[in-house]
Amino acid sequence: MNGDGYVDLIITNADYHGVEEVNQLFINDGKGLFELSDTDLGTNGRTPAIADIDSDGDLDIVIGGKPSIYVNEGNRYFSLSGVNQLPYGAEQPLLGDVDGDGDVDLMLRTGHSSRVMTNQPL
């Protein structure tokens, strides 16, 4: 997530009996240890998905459950995207180029249906 070539770790924590649980990002130090990042990735998430959503060369994060998109601003800093069209409760985000235009699109499962959101340039 921080571009150093080492695999980092995201842990999402779904709501368990009404308790707000914090989603966490751990940065691999390259020596086999993970350091808890102070990055705010919200609470009560479910399955995370990772891809370069904004086509700037670094990895961004989509978290299901309370679906949110976190844009990698570099230097271990992520900002919550202004995209507010994600349906609450959408789980299992999948990322890929659905429409063949070279950028990353988002697919979400919501209950018994699915929703595809194509990535459009601003």
PDB file of all heavy atoms in Angstrom, residues 11-36:
ATOM      1  N   ILE A  11      -7.135  -5.275   7.591  1.00  0.00           N
ATOM      2  CA  ILE A  11      -8.076  -6.077   8.360  1.00  0.00           C
ATOM      3  C   ILE A  11      -9.350  -5.261   8.524  1.00  0.00           C
ATOM      4  O   ILE A  11      -9.321  -4.142   9.045  1.00  0.00           O
ATOM      5  CB  ILE A  11      -7.512  -6.459   9.742  1.00  0.00           C
ATOM      6  CG1 ILE A  11      -6.263  -7.332   9.573  1.00  0.00           C
ATOM      7  CG2 ILE A  11      -8.572  -7.161  10.584  1.00  0.00           C
ATOM      8  CD1 ILE A  11      -5.579  -7.705  10.864  1.00  0.00           C
ATOM      9  N   THR A  12     -10.468  -5.820   8.033  1.00  0.00           N
ATOM     10  CA  THR A  12     -11.758  -5.170   8.227  1.00  0.00           C
ATOM     11  C   THR A  12     -12.482  -5.871   9.360  1.00  0.00           C
ATOM     12  O   THR A  12     -12.335  -7.076   9.558  1.00  0.00           O
ATOM     13  CB  THR A  12     -12.601  -5.202   6.940  1.00  0.00           C
ATOM     14  OG1 THR A  12     -12.745  -6.548   6.507  1.00  0.00           O
ATOM     15  CG2 THR A  12     -11.944  -4.386   5.838  1.00  0.00           C
ATOM     16  N   ASN A  13     -13.245  -5.104  10.091  1.00  0.00           N
ATOM     17  CA  ASN A  13     -13.895  -5.620  11.286  1.00  0.00           C
ATOM     18  C   ASN A  13     -15.386  -5.331  11.226  1.00  0.00           C
ATOM     19  O   ASN A  13     -15.820  -4.217  11.515  1.00  0.00           O
ATOM     20  CB  ASN A  13     -13.288  -4.983  12.537  1.00  0.00           C
ATOM     21  CG  ASN A  13     -11.860  -5.411  12.745  1.00  0.00           C
ATOM     22  OD1 ASN A  13     -11.611  -6.563  13.045  1.00  0.00           O
ATOM     23  ND2 ASN A  13     -10.927  -4.505  12.573  1.00  0.00           N
ATOM     24  N   ALA A  14     -16.173  -6.314  10.859  1.00  0.00           N
ATOM     25  CA  ALA A  14     -17.619  -6.141  10.750  1.00  0.00           C
ATOM     26  C   ALA A  14     -18.236  -5.887  12.109  1.00  0.00           C
ATOM     27  O   ALA A  14     -17.723  -6.311  13.141  1.00  0.00           O
ATOM     28  CB  ALA A  14     -18.244  -7.368  10.100  1.00  0.00           C
ATOM     29  N   ASP A  15     -19.355  -5.187  12.087  1.00  0.00           N
ATOM     30  CA  ASP A  15     -20.130  -4.914  13.289  1.00  0.00           C
ATOM     31  C   ASP A  15     -20.482  -6.243  13.965  1.00  0.00           C
ATOM     32  O   ASP A  15     -21.019  -7.147  13.345  1.00  0.00           O
ATOM     33  CB  ASP A  15     -21.405  -4.170  12.885  1.00  0.00           C
ATOM     34  CG  ASP A  15     -22.298  -3.842  14.054  1.00  0.00           C
ATOM     35  OD1 ASP A  15     -21.967  -4.194  15.199  1.00  0.00           O
ATOM     36  OD2 ASP A  15     -23.347  -3.218  13.817  1.00  0.00           O
ATOM     37  N   TYR A  16     -20.156  -6.360  15.221  1.00  0.00           N
ATOM     38  CA  TYR A  16     -20.453  -7.584  15.962  1.00  0.00           C
ATOM     39  C   TYR A  16     -21.280  -7.212  17.181  1.00  0.00           C
ATOM     40  O   TYR A  16     -20.761  -6.582  18.111  1.00  0.00           O
ATOM     41  CB  TYR A  16     -19.157  -8.290  16.359  1.00  0.00           C
ATOM     42  CG  TYR A  16     -19.381  -9.607  17.041  1.00  0.00           C
ATOM     43  CD1 TYR A  16     -19.849 -10.694  16.321  1.00  0.00           C
ATOM     44  CD2 TYR A  16     -19.144  -9.750  18.391  1.00  0.00           C
ATOM     45  CE1 TYR A  16     -20.067 -11.918  16.938  1.00  0.00           C
ATOM     46  CE2 TYR A  16     -19.354 -10.965  19.019  1.00  0.00           C
ATOM     47  CZ  TYR A  16     -19.814 -12.041  18.284  1.00  0.00           C
ATOM     48  OH  TYR A  16     -20.033 -13.245  18.892  1.00  0.00           O
ATOM     49  N   HIS A  17     -22.538  -7.525  17.147  1.00  0.00           N
ATOM     50  CA  HIS A  17     -23.452  -7.236  18.258  1.00  0.00           C
ATOM     51  C   HIS A  17     -23.482  -5.751  18.622  1.00  0.00           C
ATOM     52  O   HIS A  17     -23.436  -5.388  19.792  1.00  0.00           O
ATOM     53  CB  HIS A  17     -23.117  -8.077  19.489  1.00  0.00           C
ATOM     54  CG  HIS A  17     -23.273  -9.540  19.262  1.00  0.00           C
ATOM     55  ND1 HIS A  17     -24.501 -10.146  19.101  1.00  0.00           N
ATOM     56  CD2 HIS A  17     -22.371 -10.527  19.128  1.00  0.00           C
ATOM     57  CE1 HIS A  17     -24.343 -11.435  18.905  1.00  0.00           C
ATOM     58  NE2 HIS A  17     -23.056 -11.702  18.911  1.00  0.00           N
ATOM     59  N   GLY A  18     -23.502  -4.893  17.601  1.00  0.00           N
ATOM     60  CA  GLY A  18     -23.650  -3.464  17.839  1.00  0.00           C
ATOM     61  C   GLY A  18     -22.385  -2.734  18.249  1.00  0.00           C
ATOM     62  O   GLY A  18     -22.431  -1.568  18.624  1.00  0.00           O
ATOM     63  N   VAL A  19     -21.253  -3.380  18.187  1.00  0.00           N
ATOM     64  CA  VAL A  19     -19.994  -2.750  18.582  1.00  0.00           C
ATOM     65  C   VAL A  19     -19.285  -2.202  17.340  1.00  0.00           C
ATOM     66  O   VAL A  19     -19.102  -2.907  16.363  1.00  0.00           O
ATOM     67  CB  VAL A  19     -19.071  -3.771  19.296  1.00  0.00           C
ATOM     68  CG1 VAL A  19     -17.734  -3.136  19.630  1.00  0.00           C
ATOM     69  CG2 VAL A  19     -19.747  -4.315  20.537  1.00  0.00           C
ATOM     70  N   GLU A  20     -18.927  -0.915  17.366  1.00  0.00           N
ATOM     71  CA  GLU A  20     -18.177  -0.310  16.274  1.00  0.00           C
ATOM     72  C   GLU A  20     -16.749  -0.862  16.304  1.00  0.00           C
ATOM     73  O   GLU A  20     -16.057  -0.754  17.314  1.00  0.00           O
ATOM     74  CB  GLU A  20     -18.121   1.212  16.425  1.00  0.00           C
ATOM     75  CG  GLU A  20     -19.446   1.897  16.192  1.00  0.00           C
ATOM     76  CD  GLU A  20     -19.780   2.023  14.720  1.00  0.00           C
ATOM     77  OE1 GLU A  20     -18.912   2.400  13.923  1.00  0.00           O
ATOM     78  OE2 GLU A  20     -20.941   1.743  14.369  1.00  0.00           O
ATOM     79  N   GLU A  21     -16.345  -1.463  15.208  1.00  0.00           N
ATOM     80  CA  GLU A  21     -15.000  -2.031  15.109  1.00  0.00           C
ATOM     81  C   GLU A  21     -14.224  -1.297  14.025  1.00  0.00           C
ATOM     82  O   GLU A  21     -14.729  -1.075  12.924  1.00  0.00           O
ATOM     83  CB  GLU A  21     -15.075  -3.525  14.779  1.00  0.00           C
ATOM     84  CG  GLU A  21     -15.742  -4.362  15.842  1.00  0.00           C
ATOM     85  CD  GLU A  21     -14.904  -4.521  17.093  1.00  0.00           C
ATOM     86  OE1 GLU A  21     -13.687  -4.256  17.060  1.00  0.00           O
ATOM     87  OE2 GLU A  21     -15.468  -4.920  18.121  1.00  0.00           O
ATOM     88  N   VAL A  22     -13.005  -0.933  14.323  1.00  0.00           N
ATOM     89  CA  VAL A  22     -12.164  -0.139  13.423  1.00  0.00           C
ATOM     90  C   VAL A  22     -11.478  -1.027  12.388  1.00  0.00           C
ATOM     91  O   VAL A  22     -10.921  -2.077  12.729  1.00  0.00           O
ATOM     92  CB  VAL A  22     -11.099   0.627  14.236  1.00  0.00           C
ATOM     93  CG1 VAL A  22     -10.169   1.398  13.327  1.00  0.00           C
ATOM     94  CG2 VAL A  22     -11.763   1.556  15.237  1.00  0.00           C
ATOM     95  N   ASN A  23     -11.536  -0.622  11.111  1.00  0.00           N
ATOM     96  CA  ASN A  23     -10.766  -1.285  10.050  1.00  0.00           C
ATOM     97  C   ASN A  23      -9.318  -0.837  10.188  1.00  0.00           C
ATOM     98  O   ASN A  23      -9.057   0.318  10.541  1.00  0.00           O
ATOM     99  CB  ASN A  23     -11.309  -0.893   8.678  1.00  0.00           C
ATOM    100  CG  ASN A  23     -12.773  -1.216   8.540  1.00  0.00           C
ATOM    101  OD1 ASN A  23     -13.228  -2.266   8.962  1.00  0.00           O
ATOM    102  ND2 ASN A  23     -13.519  -0.310   7.941  1.00  0.00           N
ATOM    103  N   GLN A  24      -8.380  -1.723   9.904  1.00  0.00           N
ATOM    104  CA  GLN A  24      -6.980  -1.411  10.171  1.00  0.00           C
ATOM    105  C   GLN A  24      -6.078  -1.719   8.983  1.00  0.00           C
ATOM    106  O   GLN A  24      -6.296  -2.707   8.262  1.00  0.00           O
ATOM    107  CB  GLN A  24      -6.496  -2.198  11.388  1.00  0.00           C
ATOM    108  CG  GLN A  24      -7.271  -1.861  12.649  1.00  0.00           C
ATOM    109  CD  GLN A  24      -6.932  -2.786  13.783  1.00  0.00           C
ATOM    110  OE1 GLN A  24      -6.855  -3.998  13.621  1.00  0.00           O
ATOM    111  NE2 GLN A  24      -6.742  -2.213  14.963  1.00  0.00           N
ATOM    112  N   LEU A  25      -5.059  -0.898   8.817  1.00  0.00           N
ATOM    113  CA  LEU A  25      -4.016  -1.107   7.821  1.00  0.00           C
ATOM    114  C   LEU A  25      -2.707  -1.322   8.562  1.00  0.00           C
ATOM    115  O   LEU A  25      -2.323  -0.525   9.416  1.00  0.00           O
ATOM    116  CB  LEU A  25      -3.902   0.117   6.900  1.00  0.00           C
ATOM    117  CG  LEU A  25      -2.710   0.155   5.949  1.00  0.00           C
ATOM    118  CD1 LEU A  25      -2.770  -0.993   4.949  1.00  0.00           C
ATOM    119  CD2 LEU A  25      -2.660   1.496   5.224  1.00  0.00           C
ATOM    120  N   PHE A  26      -2.021  -2.433   8.232  1.00  0.00           N
ATOM    121  CA  PHE A  26      -0.712  -2.739   8.801  1.00  0.00           C
ATOM    122  C   PHE A  26       0.321  -2.674   7.687  1.00  0.00           C
ATOM    123  O   PHE A  26       0.152  -3.286   6.636  1.00  0.00           O
ATOM    124  CB  PHE A  26      -0.713  -4.131   9.431  1.00  0.00           C
ATOM    125  CG  PHE A  26      -1.553  -4.233  10.666  1.00  0.00           C
ATOM    126  CD1 PHE A  26      -2.909  -4.511  10.588  1.00  0.00           C
ATOM    127  CD2 PHE A  26      -0.988  -4.046  11.924  1.00  0.00           C
ATOM    128  CE1 PHE A  26      -3.696  -4.605  11.722  1.00  0.00           C
ATOM    129  CE2 PHE A  26      -1.754  -4.136  13.075  1.00  0.00           C
ATOM    130  CZ  PHE A  26      -3.116  -4.415  12.973  1.00  0.00           C
ATOM    131  N   ILE A  27       1.391  -1.932   7.917  1.00  0.00           N
ATOM    132  CA  ILE A  27       2.462  -1.754   6.934  1.00  0.00           C
ATOM    133  C   ILE A  27       3.602  -2.725   7.240  1.00  0.00           C
ATOM    134  O   ILE A  27       4.107  -2.784   8.362  1.00  0.00           O
ATOM    135  CB  ILE A  27       2.992  -0.298   6.960  1.00  0.00           C
ATOM    136  CG1 ILE A  27       1.856   0.698   6.698  1.00  0.00           C
ATOM    137  CG2 ILE A  27       4.130  -0.115   5.976  1.00  0.00           C
ATOM    138  CD1 ILE A  27       1.217   0.586   5.333  1.00  0.00           C
ATOM    139  N   ASN A  28       4.004  -3.484   6.221  1.00  0.00           N
ATOM    140  CA  ASN A  28       5.101  -4.436   6.327  1.00  0.00           C
ATOM    141  C   ASN A  28       6.414  -3.656   6.378  1.00  0.00           C
ATOM    142  O   ASN A  28       6.693  -2.837   5.512  1.00  0.00           O
ATOM    143  CB  ASN A  28       5.067  -5.355   5.100  1.00  0.00           C
ATOM    144  CG  ASN A  28       6.051  -6.488   5.175  1.00  0.00           C
ATOM    145  OD1 ASN A  28       7.084  -6.390   5.811  1.00  0.00           O
ATOM    146  ND2 ASN A  28       5.728  -7.561   4.490  1.00  0.00           N
ATOM    147  N   ASP A  29       7.232  -3.927   7.390  1.00  0.00           N
ATOM    148  CA  ASP A  29       8.508  -3.210   7.516  1.00  0.00           C
ATOM    149  C   ASP A  29       9.629  -3.847   6.701  1.00  0.00           C
ATOM    150  O   ASP A  29      10.761  -3.374   6.716  1.00  0.00           O
ATOM    151  CB  ASP A  29       8.918  -3.071   8.980  1.00  0.00           C
ATOM    152  CG  ASP A  29       9.326  -4.372   9.638  1.00  0.00           C
ATOM    153  OD1 ASP A  29       9.284  -5.445   8.978  1.00  0.00           O
ATOM    154  OD2 ASP A  29       9.700  -4.334  10.826  1.00  0.00           O
ATOM    155  N   GLY A  30       9.332  -4.952   5.996  1.00  0.00           N
ATOM    156  CA  GLY A  30      10.342  -5.618   5.179  1.00  0.00           C
ATOM    157  C   GLY A  30      11.203  -6.596   5.950  1.00  0.00           C
ATOM    158  O   GLY A  30      12.065  -7.256   5.378  1.00  0.00           O
ATOM    159  N   LYS A  31      10.976  -6.704   7.249  1.00  0.00           N
ATOM    160  CA  LYS A  31      11.749  -7.606   8.098  1.00  0.00           C
ATOM    161  C   LYS A  31      10.856  -8.646   8.764  1.00  0.00           C
ATOM    162  O   LYS A  31      11.243  -9.258   9.743  1.00  0.00           O
ATOM    163  CB  LYS A  31      12.492  -6.799   9.163  1.00  0.00           C
ATOM    164  CG  LYS A  31      13.441  -5.777   8.586  1.00  0.00           C
ATOM    165  CD  LYS A  31      14.032  -4.907   9.667  1.00  0.00           C
ATOM    166  CE  LYS A  31      14.842  -3.790   9.030  1.00  0.00           C
ATOM    167  NZ  LYS A  31      15.153  -2.736   9.974  1.00  0.00           N
ATOM    168  N   GLY A  32       9.623  -8.786   8.240  1.00  0.00           N
ATOM    169  CA  GLY A  32       8.706  -9.778   8.779  1.00  0.00           C
ATOM    170  C   GLY A  32       7.771  -9.263   9.855  1.00  0.00           C
ATOM    171  O   GLY A  32       7.026 -10.031  10.441  1.00  0.00           O
ATOM    172  N   LEU A  33       7.808  -7.966  10.121  1.00  0.00           N
ATOM    173  CA  LEU A  33       6.925  -7.381  11.124  1.00  0.00           C
ATOM    174  C   LEU A  33       5.979  -6.387  10.456  1.00  0.00           C
ATOM    175  O   LEU A  33       6.304  -5.779   9.438  1.00  0.00           O
ATOM    176  CB  LEU A  33       7.731  -6.671  12.208  1.00  0.00           C
ATOM    177  CG  LEU A  33       8.691  -7.554  13.008  1.00  0.00           C
ATOM    178  CD1 LEU A  33       9.510  -6.712  13.965  1.00  0.00           C
ATOM    179  CD2 LEU A  33       7.933  -8.634  13.759  1.00  0.00           C
ATOM    180  N   PHE A  34       4.798  -6.215  11.051  1.00  0.00           N
ATOM    181  CA  PHE A  34       3.800  -5.278  10.535  1.00  0.00           C
ATOM    182  C   PHE A  34       3.545  -4.198  11.570  1.00  0.00           C
ATOM    183  O   PHE A  34       3.348  -4.491  12.743  1.00  0.00           O
ATOM    184  CB  PHE A  34       2.492  -6.014  10.209  1.00  0.00           C
ATOM    185  CG  PHE A  34       2.607  -6.908   9.011  1.00  0.00           C
ATOM    186  CD1 PHE A  34       3.070  -8.204   9.132  1.00  0.00           C
ATOM    187  CD2 PHE A  34       2.249  -6.443   7.758  1.00  0.00           C
ATOM    188  CE1 PHE A  34       3.177  -9.032   8.034  1.00  0.00           C
ATOM    189  CE2 PHE A  34       2.350  -7.260   6.640  1.00  0.00           C
ATOM    190  CZ  PHE A  34       2.814  -8.557   6.779  1.00  0.00           C
ATOM    191  N   GLU A  35       3.536  -2.956  11.120  1.00  0.00           N
ATOM    192  CA  GLU A  35       3.290  -1.812  11.984  1.00  0.00           C
ATOM    193  C   GLU A  35       1.892  -1.275  11.705  1.00  0.00           C
ATOM    194  O   GLU A  35       1.513  -1.050  10.552  1.00  0.00           O
ATOM    195  CB  GLU A  35       4.324  -0.719  11.687  1.00  0.00           C
ATOM    196  CG  GLU A  35       4.092   0.576  12.406  1.00  0.00           C
ATOM    197  CD  GLU A  35       5.034   1.666  11.905  1.00  0.00           C
ATOM    198  OE1 GLU A  35       6.094   1.358  11.343  1.00  0.00           O
ATOM    199  OE2 GLU A  35       4.671   2.837  12.078  1.00  0.00           O
ATOM    200  N   LEU A  36       1.103  -1.053  12.762  1.00  0.00           N
ATOM    201  CA  LEU A  36      -0.234  -0.510  12.612  1.00  0.00           C
ATOM    202  C   LEU A  36      -0.144   0.933  12.119  1.00  0.00           C
ATOM    203  O   LEU A  36       0.516   1.769  12.730  1.00  0.00           O
ATOM    204  CB  LEU A  36      -0.993  -0.562  13.940  1.00  0.00           C
ATOM    205  CG  LEU A  36      -2.398   0.040  13.945  1.00  0.00           C
ATOM    206  CD1 LEU A  36      -3.312  -0.686  12.963  1.00  0.00           C
ATOM    207  CD2 LEU A  36      -2.980  -0.008  15.349  1.00  0.00           C
TER     208      LEU A  36
END
